[in-house]
């Protein structure tokens, strides 16, 4: 398994010989207005450039997984760049209809029994915040990757820590967990994705897993920096299990070892 963190929640996952692009936000820096009712209203999104070109990102992709349709997970640049016939997985029929309207001709709704080219893709639950804010943020999902020759990967998506995430971990026993950990927030309503205490709960639920925190410092409403999270990881003695990649960083899982490096930025 090879995981390349591109930017924000965008990942390239090479798994059992197939390449999956997850939550593509492919626009150039500063293309979109800032998310309203949040901090950094003077900064357009995305806040940073891609570490490699769009052409390189999509060159070898076999399938795309879109966990939900917010702009920072599936943007206009991705719609324009991706071939119309590429395999697209989405969370429900409502999202499928929107993706088809954007021109995609090969769209499938994820289930708990989806299989793509021999790879199990299991849709998982998530909550994009807590309480009343959920009426605004809408439905989201994550996905578990399974294959007999690979470690089990759980990409949690835009969710906070809550009972269903713990249930997914207990059910699937993932070896690798990717969390969206920027503690993004509006000016009211609380966390929309995981903050440092949420990530600590993930660690306690899966103390042997490798945890990778992404969705950091790339859109204007982030509140948890990489530096702060790294300090918290050290404080909680999680440094051998929880990692905070820079954009372009690569993790390769082979047997029981992990190694990582970085793509050279453009």
């Amino acid at each position: 398994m090879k995981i390349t963190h591109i930017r924000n929640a965008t990942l390239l996952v090479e798994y059992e010989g197939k390449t999956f692009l997850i939550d593509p936000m492919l626009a150039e820096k500063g293309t979109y207005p800032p998310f309203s009712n949040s901090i950094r209203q003077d900064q357009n999104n995305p806040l940073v450039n891609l570490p490699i070109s769009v052409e390189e990102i999509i060159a070898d992709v076999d399938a795309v997984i879109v966990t939900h349709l917010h702009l920072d997970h599936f943007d206009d640049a991705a719609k324009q760049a991706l071939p119309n016939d590429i395999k697209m997985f989405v969370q429900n029929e409502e999202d499928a209809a929107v993706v088809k309207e954007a021109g995609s001709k090969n769209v499938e709704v994820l289930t708990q029994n989806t299989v793509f080219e021999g790879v199990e893709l299991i849709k998982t639950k998530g909550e994009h915040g807590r309480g009343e804010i959920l009426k605004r943020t809408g439905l989201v999902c994550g996905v578990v990757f399974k294959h007999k020759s690979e470690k089990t990967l759980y990409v949690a998506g835009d969710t906070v820590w809550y009972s269903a995430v713990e249930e997914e971990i207990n059910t699937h026993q993932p070896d690798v967990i990717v969390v969206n950990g920027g503690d993004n927030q509006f000016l009211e309503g609380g966390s929309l994705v995981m903050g440092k205490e949420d990530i600590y709960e993930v660690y306690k639920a899966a103390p042997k897993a490798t945890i990778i925190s992404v969705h950091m410092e790339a859109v204007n409403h982030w509140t948890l920096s990489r530096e702060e999270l790294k300090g918290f990881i050290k404080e909680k003695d999680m440094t051998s299990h929880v990692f905070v990649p820079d954009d372009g960083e690569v993790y390769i899982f082979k047997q029981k070892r992990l190694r990582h490096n970085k793509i050279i930025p453009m």
Side-chain angles (χ1 to χ4, degrees):
M1 185 197 328
K2 178 179 177 181
I3 299 173
T4 303
H5 172 48
I6 301 298
R7 179 185 62 188
N8 200 50
T10 306
L11 304 170
L12 282 172
V13 175
E14 297 177 37
Y15 196 90
E16 187 51 26
K18 299 299 175 182
T19 300
F20 298 85
L21 175 61
I22 301 177
D23 285 347
M25 184 190 196
L26 302 181
E28 295 181 359
K29 177 182 176 181
T31 298
Y32 310 117
F35 292 118
S36 61
N37 193 35
S38 58
I39 58 176
R40 301 183 190 86
Q41 287 297 299
D42 60 338
Q43 297 183 40
N44 286 348
N45 291 317
L47 303 180
V48 294
N49 288 312
L50 291 166
I52 57 176
S53 70
V54 171
E55 291 74 19
E56 290 174 277
I57 291 168
I58 69 173
D60 299 313
V61 171
D62 297 294
V64 180
I65 299 173
V66 177
T67 63
H68 63 296
L69 298 181
H70 289 171
L71 179 70
D72 56 334
H73 293 256
F74 187 52
D75 70 345
D76 292 341
K79 295 172 188 176
Q80 294 169 9
L82 291 167
N84 288 346
D85 60 350
I86 198 167
K87 186 70 175 183
M88 299 282 295
F89 289 102
V90 296
Q91 66 170 327
N92 54 32
E93 293 292 349
E94 291 77 12
D95 284 12
V98 174
V99 172
K100 288 175 182 177
E101 286 178 7
S104 295
K105 300 177 180 178
N106 191 5
V107 184
E108 182 175 342
V109 175
L110 286 169
T111 70
Q112 292 187 324
N113 301 295
T114 300
V115 178
F116 176 76
E117 302 288 342
V119 177
E120 291 183 64
L121 300 173
I122 303 166
K123 185 172 75 170
T124 60
K125 298 176 182 177
E127 289 196 349
H128 201 350
R130 297 180 176 96
E132 288 296 311
I133 197 69
L134 291 172
K135 296 177 182 178
R136 178 176 176 184
T137 55
L139 297 176
V140 297
C141 78
V143 61
V144 168
F145 293 72
K146 287 187 177 181
H147 190 277
K148 63 182 180 180
S149 67
E150 292 275 17
K151 294 179 180 293
T152 297
L153 167 65
Y154 172 29
V155 178
D158 264 8
T159 185
V160 295
W161 170 262
Y162 75 115
S163 59
V165 174
E166 184 174 20
E167 290 170 9
E168 302 289 4
I169 290 172
N170 291 338
T171 297
H172 300 292
Q173 296 292 304
D175 302 288
V176 183
I177 304 172
V178 179
V179 299
N180 291 352
D183 201 5
N184 297 52
Q185 301 184 24
F186 298 119
L187 296 179
E188 66 279 325
S191 300
L192 303 173
V193 297
M194 291 193 188
K196 57 188 181 183
E197 295 292 347
D198 298 78
I199 295 168
Y200 187 42
E201 293 298 327
V202 174
Y203 168 73
K204 289 191 291 183
K208 295 182 180 179
T210 298
I211 300 166
I212 302 170
S213 179
V214 300
H215 203 305
M216 304 194 74
E217 301 179 352
V219 285
N220 70 285
H221 59 324
W222 68 266
T223 69
L224 176 62
S225 69
R226 287 182 170 100
E227 181 180 4
E228 181 180 354
L229 179 55
K230 288 177 181 178
F232 181 79
I233 290 167
K234 185 175 181 180
E235 173 190 325
K236 295 295 185 181
D237 196 24
M238 300 186 292
T239 53
S240 61
H241 290 278
V242 184
F243 298 86
V244 186
D246 293 327
D247 295 345
E249 200 151 356
V250 179
Y251 295 84
I252 299 171
F253 298 85
K254 188 175 182 180
Q255 297 175 347
K256 294 184 180 297
R257 295 174 295 171
L258 161 68
R259 62 185 177 89
H260 66 277
N261 52 30
K262 296 180 183 179
I263 294 174
I264 299 174
M266 295 177 63

